[in-house]
Amino acid sequence: MKFNEFSFRVRYSETDQMGVVYHGNYAQYLELGRVEWLRSMGISYKKMEENGVMLPVISLQVSYKKSIKYDDLITIRTMLKKEPGVKIEFDFEIFNEDRDLLAEANVVLAFIDMKKNRPIRCPKYLLDTIAKHS
């Protein structure tokens, strides 16, 4: 399935006193990966919300392999696990400049109709876009 890689440098404010990325920041890194995955296909979260669809996280799992440190250039590889239905599931790998695996993660999100606050199936335009880019 479709994947995307996005790189950025770790900021000082994301680390603890030991210069290691605080574990709570990994969720933000994974969100960056998802946003850039969508953007790479010409879709934005903002547009989805304007169309009445939101994607709350319903599951998040992270396996920490090696520390991420201040000023590291890291790459987040975001992979769509399977074709979305009512849920969309991503796997992630985070690497440093040497391509050492620093963390693996899995995130599941649900498609929600913002007006009804109810789960819905993945919008057709997103399924079509994914198919076109696979």
Side-chain angles (χ1 to χ4, degrees):
M1 281 271 168
K2 171 80 175 133
F3 76 92
N4 183 60
E5 290 190 348
F6 173 71
S7 299
F8 63 94
R9 198 162 294 281
V10 173
R11 296 168 296 236
Y12 183 78
S13 63
E14 297 165 345
T15 63
D16 59 20
Q17 285 185 318
M18 297 179 293
V20 174
V21 170
Y22 172 68
H23 73 276
N25 287 323
Y26 283 70
Q28 292 178 38
Y29 292 172
L30 302 176
E31 181 181 5
L32 282 171
R34 290 191 310 275
V35 167
E36 293 304 320
W37 179 87
L38 283 167
R39 192 181 314 277
S40 73
M41 294 185 295
I43 298 172
S44 73
Y45 262 89
K46 183 178 180 181
K47 291 271 189 210
M48 289 179 68
E49 288 182 348
E50 287 171 356
N51 290 324
V53 177
M54 65 179 166
L55 279 171
V57 172
I58 59 173
S59 173
L60 184 147
Q61 297 176 342
V62 179
S63 177
Y64 306 96
K65 306 294 185 186
K66 292 183 178 181
S67 295
I68 299 176
K69 298 180 180 161
Y70 168 63
D71 207 39
D72 280 354
L73 180 62
I74 61 171
T75 299
I76 300 173
R77 182 181 181 114
T78 305
M79 300 160 283
L80 181 65
K81 191 160 184 171
K82 57 187 172 189
E83 184 174 297
V86 174
K87 298 184 267 186
I88 187 166
E89 185 171 357
F90 295 97
D91 284 334
F92 299 86
E93 296 171 334
I94 301 177
F95 300 95
N96 62 15
E97 290 177 83
D98 296 327
R99 296 302 281 184
D100 295 327
L101 181 62
L102 305 175
E104 293 178 306
N106 176 271
V107 176
V108 181
L109 303 98
F111 291 97
I112 302 292
D113 180 310
M114 293 172 70
K115 289 181 184 171
K116 297 177 182 173
N117 199 29
R118 291 279 201 218
I120 57 172
R121 295 200 55 74
C122 178
K124 184 175 179 345
Y125 70 88
L126 182 54
L127 288 172
D128 292 346
T129 301
I130 292 168
K132 185 173 92 175
H133 287 88
S134 291

